[in-house]
Amino acid sequence: MLIFAQDKKSIINCNRITIEKNIGGKKDEKFMLVGWGIGIANLTTPTLAAYPDEESAMAELEKIYSAFANGANAYQIQ
C-alpha cells in the first residue's frame, strides 16, 4: 500500500507498518508509525508519522487498516 507520510515529504510503498517507541523523542514524538518497504532494495524503515502517545498511533494504524480493508491502494496520513 502506498502511504503518503505525515510530513508530506515522501510516499512509501509499504508491505508492513509498525508502531515503535521513540526513545528520547520529543514530547509530541514518543511513538512512531514506521513503514517497511517492499523488496530487498528497501531495507530502510522510514518514519511515516509521529504521535505523542501510543493510543494516537494505534488510532491512525486502525484508519490505515480500514482503508486497506475497503480496497484502497493508497493512504495519506493526517
Side-chain angles (χ1 to χ4, degrees), residues 3-77:
I3 304 291
F4 192 25
Q6 187 179 47
D7 66 3
K8 311 251 188 285
K9 293 182 180 180
S10 56
I11 297 172
I12 300 98
N13 191 8
C14 299
N15 67 347
R16 183 172 63 150
I17 300 169
T18 59
I19 296 173
E20 305 291 334
K21 187 167 178 78
N22 185 17
I23 305 299
K26 297 177 187 175
K27 183 178 180 181
D28 292 338
E29 298 177 350
K30 292 295 183 184
F31 289 87
M32 309 295 235
L33 280 182
V34 176
W36 298 81
I38 296 172
I40 193 143
N42 295 314
L43 294 178
T44 61
T45 55
T47 298
L48 302 172
Y51 299 94
D53 53 59
E54 191 172 17
E55 293 79 21
S56 299
M58 286 292 296
E60 190 68 32
L61 187 60
E62 288 174 9
K63 290 177 188 176
I64 294 169
Y65 173 77
S66 179
F68 180 74
N70 288 316
N73 293 323
Y75 182 84
Q76 180 175 342
I77 294 178

